[in-house]
Amino acid sequence: MASSSKKKHEEEDVGEEEEEFEHFDDFTLASSWERFISEIEAVCRRWLSTGPKNLLEKGAVQLGEQKNLYKIKSELKYAMKNYCMEYYFEISNSGKAADWNWNATLHELQLSFGVKEFMVIAPQSASGVILDSPEASKLLSAVAIAFSNCSSLWPAFVPVHDPSRKAYIGIQNMGTVFTRRFEGDLISSQVPVKLMHLEGLYELFVSKFAFSSSDLSTHLFKVHFTMKLTYKTLPYDEDNEAAVLNSESDIITDNGGDNNNNNNNNININRNKLQWDDDCPWSEWYTAEDPVKCFELVAIWEEKMVESSMEMAEMENASIHEAQKWFIVPEFSSYLTDDYSGKLVGFASQLRLLIDALAMSLEVKFMEDFVSAETSGSDKLRSSAVIPPPTVLDRVLKDLCHDGSEVIPPEGRHRSSRLIKGAPLETLFAQFCLHSLWFGDCNIRAIAVLWIEFIREVRWYWEESQPLPRMPTNSTIDLSTCLVNQKLQMLAICIEKKRQQDGTSDNSSDTHSVEANEESLNPSSRGKEEGLVKERDSTSKRSGSAGVVKSMMLLKSHTNMHAPFTQDPPIMTEDMHEERLHAVEVLGDSFSFSGQLEKDILSSDMSAFKAANPDAIFEDFIRWHSPKDWEEEESCGPSKDKWPPEGRLSDRMSESGNSWRKIWNDSPPLPASQQKPFMDPNREGEKILHYLETVRPHQLLEQMVCTAFRAAIDTLNQTNFGGLDNMTTKIDQLYLTLASSLRPLQANKLLGDTEILQDIKRLCVIFQHVEKLLTLAASLHRKFLQAPRLSQTIFNDFRNSYLPKMGKGLVNKEEKKNQQVRVGVNERDVVTGMFVQPSANQSWRRVLSMGNLLNGHEPVFREIVFALRDRVDSSYHAPNEREIETHRMYICGTSNDLRVALSVTSCD
Amino acid sequence: MGSSSGQYDLSFKILLIGDSGVGKSSLLVSFISDSVEDLAPTIGVDFKIKQFTVGGKRLKLTIWDTAGQERFRTLTSSYYRGAQGIILVYDVTRRETFTNLLEIWAKEIDLYSTNQDCVKMLVGNKVDKDTERFVSREEGIDLAKELKCLFLECSARTRENVHQCFEELALKIMEVPSLLEEGSTVVKRNILKQKPEKQVGPTQGCCS
Ligand SMILES: Nc1nc2c(ncn2[C@@H]2O[C@H](COP(=O)(O)OP(=O)(O)OP(=O)(O)O)[C@@H](O)[C@H]2O)c(=O)[nH]1
Ligand SMILES: [Mg+2]
C-alpha cells in the first residue's frame, strides 16, 4: 500500500515530491486514515439529513441526459491527494430499483448494478489518476466504514483501472445482515466466442454461484432472464444501390458547368439517381438530405425463467415477434438539430441570398447597371458575382416560357397565401422568382441578366401578339398580388385584346348567341364583338344591339327594348387606381364629387342604349339599367296589359337637377363599337413594357423577395405529409408571419429604413426551421404510410424537443438523446418491413455471431440481465422469510465488446 | 384636402358598401350635414371628410361612399385598398339587400380588402319604416356574428343611431394596434415619402 501510494504520487506531482517524502511516514498514522473516514462520514451525514429535495437548493445539479437524476459533490483530502465524493439521487420516489423502464434513461451505474441512488468516490482526476485494485479496495473500505458509522444504505462505487474501461467496484450495506458487493468491467476487444452467445453468458452467470462445473448440468437453477435487443436499419441515404452519396462533402461543381444551378454542395447529385424526395414538390428546385438517417428497433423480452443452458441457447433462435415490447428510436441527420448553418441548401438559404441582392439594389438606378462592365459598382461585386453561361440562361428562359403549368385549384392553395403580396405560384413572375433563386448563386448580377433577358422575351410576346405563357387572360386583375404580376396580367389582357382586334383570336366566333336578359348587366354578356352584329331590325337607325330584352317594351313607342352591347369596364393595376384616388382626393370638392371615369362609363352605356333604341326615353334607360329606381304601380291583374304601364321614377331619380338625367341629355346615341374605348390596349401594353424595362432595381427586388417567399412557401405547402396537425399549424403560422413581416417592403419604405432588411433576414431563420420540420414530416410520412400513428408521434416528439431551442444556439449535445416510441402490435409489420434484407455486397456486413436475426440483420447491441433470487431469513428478530436477489448480472455489448457487471448479496 | 389638415391626431379611411338604394349616401349625408335630402344614385364613388373628437382623440374620417350598382363594381374594388373600417349597409325593408351582403359584398371584401385587421360593421338602415320591415333585428345580429362585424340598426331619415354608427366604428378601429399605427403614421409618412422621390426625381427627368 505504501509503495503504491508513493508511486502514484510521484507520477502525479513530481514538484512536491520532496515535501511528500518528509511526511511520508505520517500517512499510515491511524489519525490520518481515521480523519479521512470521519470526513466522509460527516459529508454523508450532512447529505442524509438534508434530504434530496433540499439538496437541490444547495447546489445539486441535474444531469443532462437523465432527466430525473441529480448529483451533488464534495471534495476531500487524504494523504495529500484530492478526492471527490459524488452523490447521485432522484427526486421522484418510486422506491423501486431502476429497471428497464422503457422511457427512462438510466445512468450507466444504475443500469449495470440495478441501483437507484448511489455514491461515487474517486480521486480528483484531471490528469487521469488511476486507481489500481488494492488502492481501490482500500478507498472502498474507508467508505464502507464511514457509511456503517452513519448507517447509510447508499451503494458506493469506486472506479478501478483505466477510465475507458468503466470498471467499478462497489459495496452497499443492506441494513440487515446482508451486504451487497458490486463489480463491473469491460472487454473491449477479442470477446471469446463463448461469451458472444447466450449459452456462454448464462453459464458465466451460473458459475458465480454454482460450486462446481458438474453442478451446472445436474442442478436446475431458476435464473430470471430479461433481454433487450437493438437493431438498426441501413442508413437511408445509402439505401439505394447507386454510388454512395456523400452529402457532407464540400465539392462544388464548376460554376461554368452546365449544372450551374446546382452548384451547391448538398444538391450536387447526379440527377439520374432516384432521391428519396423525388416526388416532393421542392425537388424541382433542390434535393434535401433525408432528415431521418435510420431507425433503431428496440425489442424487449420481459422477465422469463431459464433453467438450463440448452434452453438459453434456444433463445438465439427466438423470433423478435416474441418480444413483449417494441420501441423504435429515430436517428436524425445532424442538419436537423444543428442551428442555422450556411451549408444547408433549401429555399431558406436562397431567400437569404435574394435579400442580400435586395440590399445591393438600393443604390442603383437600373437593372442594366449591374450588367454593363463600366458601371457595375464595386470591384468586389464584379469579381464575386458569377453569371451563369448563356446555355443555362437559355434553358431557364425556355423553362419559364414553357406553358405547361397546371392550374392549381382554389382548394390547393393555402387560404393565407393571398395575404403575401406576391404572385400565385403558377404564374410567370412567381416562376421567374423561383428560377432566380437558383440562377447562379442568386447574386444581383445574375438576377439582372436574367431579368433583362426575361423582359426581352416578354416584349417579343407583345410585339408578336402571342399569348403570354403562364398568364390567364380571363380574370380581372388581382390587386392583392404584387405590381409586376398585375402588370403582366394586364399585359396578357392587352395582348388578348390586340389579337381580337387583329382577328387572330380563336374565340371570336360565338357572337350571335348573346342573349340579353331583362336585367342584363352581367359583364360577361356584354359583348366584345359589337361590330359583328348585323342590323337585324327594320329600324335603320338602330345599331349596336345585343338582342331584344324579353318582356320589356319602350314606354313611348311600345316597341321591343334592345339591350345594347356595352364597353368592357376598364381594367386597372394598383398604381392606376392609386393615381385615380389621388386625383380624386386632390381635385374632389367633397360635397359634389363623383368619379369622372364612372361618369364616362355611365355616359357610354347611355349612348349605346340610345343607339340600340332610337325611340327610348330616360325612363326606359333607368328601367333597364337601374330597375329599382323605376317603381311600378301596384295594380291588379287586368291592368297588366294596359299601356303605358302605371309607373314612375323613384324619388331620388326624379329630383330636379338629377345628375343621371343631365348625363342622359348630354350623351349622343352612339354604339359602343364607335365610341372612344375606355382603354387602348396598344397604348396600355406599351406603358407596361416601359414600366418593366425601367423598373427601379430595389422596387423589382422588393417584389421579388415577397413573391419568392410566397412561391417558396406555396411550394412547400403542397408537400404531402399526411396532415400532421402540428405541421399544419406551423405552416399556417409561417404564412401569417410572412404576410406581416413582408408588409413593410410593399410600402416602399426600404430606402429610409435598412432595419427592415434585418427583420426580413430573421424571417429566413424561421423559414428554415419550418422547411426542416416539413422535410422531416414528409420523410416520416412516406416511411410510415401504413402506421400514421408512429410518424405522428415521432414528429411531435421531435418538434417538442426541438422547438424550444429554435434559434437559441446549438442544441445541447447531451440533450440530443432521441425519443423512444412504442410500437403497437399492429404496427410491427411496418417496422420489420423497414429492415430490408441486406445484399451480399453490402460492406457493413460482418460475421454474424449473436443470433436473433431480423431479416438478416443481427442486433447492433444486446443487453441482458440475469438474476437469481433466494428466500432468506432477512432479520434477526422475526422469522421473516423474504425473497431477495442474491445475484444479478448485467451484460451488454456487441460481438466486439462486452461489459459485465455483477452484484452479489451475501450474509457477512 | 381641406384647410384643417394637421388639426387631428388620427386619420382613418372608411368605406360604405351595399346594394343600390339601401341608403349609403343618405347615411353619409345625414352624418356629415344635418340635412336629410334625397340624393341621386351614386355614380361610381363619392367621398366626404368629417372631423370629430371621440375618446379624447381628434379624428379625421375620410368616408368613401361607393355605388351599389353592379355596373360600377369593378371600379369600386380600388376603394377597398387601405380602408381601416368597412360599413356594410342593408335595407331592413328589402330582404335581398340583406342576403346580398353575404353573397356578394362579404366576398368583395375578402377579395379586395388589403387590410387583414380592418374593422367591419353591419348596418340595417331605414328602421323608420318599421311597418314594412322584412329583416328582423335578430337576423341582423346573427349575420353580424357570422361576418365578425359590429352591428347597429339606424335610420338616415330620422338620423337615429347615425352618429353612433360612425363613432363606434372609429372607437373599435382605435382598439386595434396595427390600425392605430396606420392612422397615426399617415401624417408622418407624407413627409417621409418626399425624400426618396426627391432623390429619384432628377434621374427620372433625364431618362424618360
Ligand atoms: N325611409 C327611409 N328612406 C331612406 C333612408 N335612407 C335612405 N332612404 C331613401 O332610400 C333611397 C336610396 O338612398 P341612397 O342613399 O341614394 O342609397 P345608396 O345606397 O346610396 O344607393 P346607390 O348610390 O345607388 O348605391 C333614397 O330615396 C333615400 O331617400 C331611411 O333611413 N329611411
Ligand atoms: Mg349612393
Side-chain angles (χ1 to χ4, degrees), chain A residues 488-618:
Chain A
L488 288 172
Q489 246 186 315
M490 179 136 165
L491 184 65
I493 294 170
C494 287
I495 291 174
E496 181 60 26
K497 284 196 186 298
K498 222 166 84 166
R499 283 161 65 81
Q500 281 169 6
Q501 280 177 358
D502 304 347
T504 42
S505 184
D506 325 319
N507 51 359
S508 57
S509 49
D510 51 350
T511 327
H512 298 282
S513 60
V514 180
E515 257 313 306
N517 55 29
E518 299 94 303
E519 296 193 48
S520 76
L521 286 174
N522 176 7
S524 64
S525 71
R526 287 166 177 276
K528 303 165 178 169
E529 303 87 8
E530 47 272 35
L532 297 173
V533 174
K534 293 192 185 96
E535 304 284 79
R536 285 180 287 177
D537 217 84
S538 54
T539 324
S540 59
K541 286 189 289 173
R542 188 191 306 283
S543 61
S545 162
V548 170
V549 182
K550 263 182 267 158
S551 78
M552 289 272 266
M553 307 291 268
L554 297 179
L555 291 173
K556 271 242 180 84
S557 60
H558 202 182
T559 52
N560 283 327
M561 181 189 284
H562 286 246
F565 283 111
T566 52
Q567 286 200 50
D568 283 345
I571 51 165
M572 283 186 282
T573 52
E574 81 182 21
D575 53 338
M576 296 163 79
H577 279 295
E578 230 153 59
E579 224 169 85
R580 212 162 76 85
L581 269 185
H582 193 65
V584 164
E585 277 187 78
V586 170
L587 302 173
D589 155 21
S590 63
F591 280 90
S592 67
F593 158 81
S594 245
Q596 186 56 45
L597 185 56
E598 284 94 341
K599 276 184 187 154
D600 291 346
I601 294 172
L602 187 58
S603 165
S604 151
D605 286 355
M606 287 172 170
S607 289
F609 188 80
K610 280 182 176 176
N613 301 287
D615 301 324
I617 56 172
F618 179 59

Side-chain angles (χ1 to χ4, degrees), chain A residues 652, chain B residues 24-25 40-42 65-66:
Chain A
R652 61 172 188 168
Chain B
K24 298 180 294 297
S25 307
T42 311
D65 170 25
T66 60

